[in-house]
Amino acid sequence: MLLRATSAKGVMNLADCGMDPHRFGDFTLLGRVASAIRVRTGSSSAREGRCGVSRSPQVYGKTFDEHTRCEHYATELDIIAIRFACCDRYYPCHLCHGETADHPAQQWPRDKWDQAAILCGMCWAELTIDTYRGTDACPECAAALNPRCAAHSSYYFEG
């Protein structure tokens, strides 16, 4: 099956752009692209392929692959990004936020754990904090999540 993205530039075959379409996002059988990706023009983001297709939402910090791994946490299971309550931006980890944001991090209060604040780096589904904390795998794509992230939960979530 050929997966394509349609933009103002026309139809682009994602495989021709140097991207693995099976790891890029959610696609339908008809070739329509779900909201997990968007097409940008004139950008040089490292997260984009040769044809200008990039993922949305943007992940800030020191990422080094399309699955949101960063220089601080880069195991096979380190595939999430966290939307920080203080700035509404996704970062792979608290260290990336601390090194690149211009403000201190704030924890998500318990009464807001029903909000989408976790991004799966495999399928780019946005999970609520409650959903994330209650599972060992992404409920959308079944990608395993790192159980050791629980040791750092106090950086992100109130107690």
Side-chain angles (χ1 to χ4, degrees), residues 34-139:
S35 63
I37 67 171
R38 63 182 169 166
V39 176
R40 292 197 289 183
T41 59
S43 176
S44 61
S45 170
R47 285 176 290 283
E48 292 185 15
R50 290 188 295 257
C51 295
V53 177
S54 68
R55 295 185 184 231
S56 181
Q58 184 172 351
V59 177
Y60 296 84
K62 299 179 176 184
T63 61
F64 69 81
D65 73 9
E66 70 275 11
H67 302 296
T68 75
R69 292 180 186 97
C70 68
E71 68 178 27
H72 308 105
Y73 298 100
T75 72
E76 184 177 314
L77 298 177
D78 292 318
I79 58 165
I80 65 148
I82 297 122
R83 183 166 56 95
F84 277 71
C86 50
C87 56
D88 200 36
R89 288 183 165 191
Y90 278 101
Y91 288 88
C93 74
H94 63 98
L95 297 170
C96 282
H97 181 276
E99 292 174 3
T100 61
D102 61 358
H103 58 273
Q106 294 177 356
Q107 295 172 315
W108 279 96
R110 178 66 182 103
D111 64 341
K112 295 192 177 189
W113 286 11
D114 61 341
Q115 295 187 23
I118 308 298
L119 183 69
C120 174
M122 292 303 265
C123 70
W124 288 66
E126 292 184 282
L127 313 176
T128 67
I129 297 166
D130 279 328
T131 299
Y132 167 71
R133 290 176 59 95
T135 188
D136 292 331
C138 174

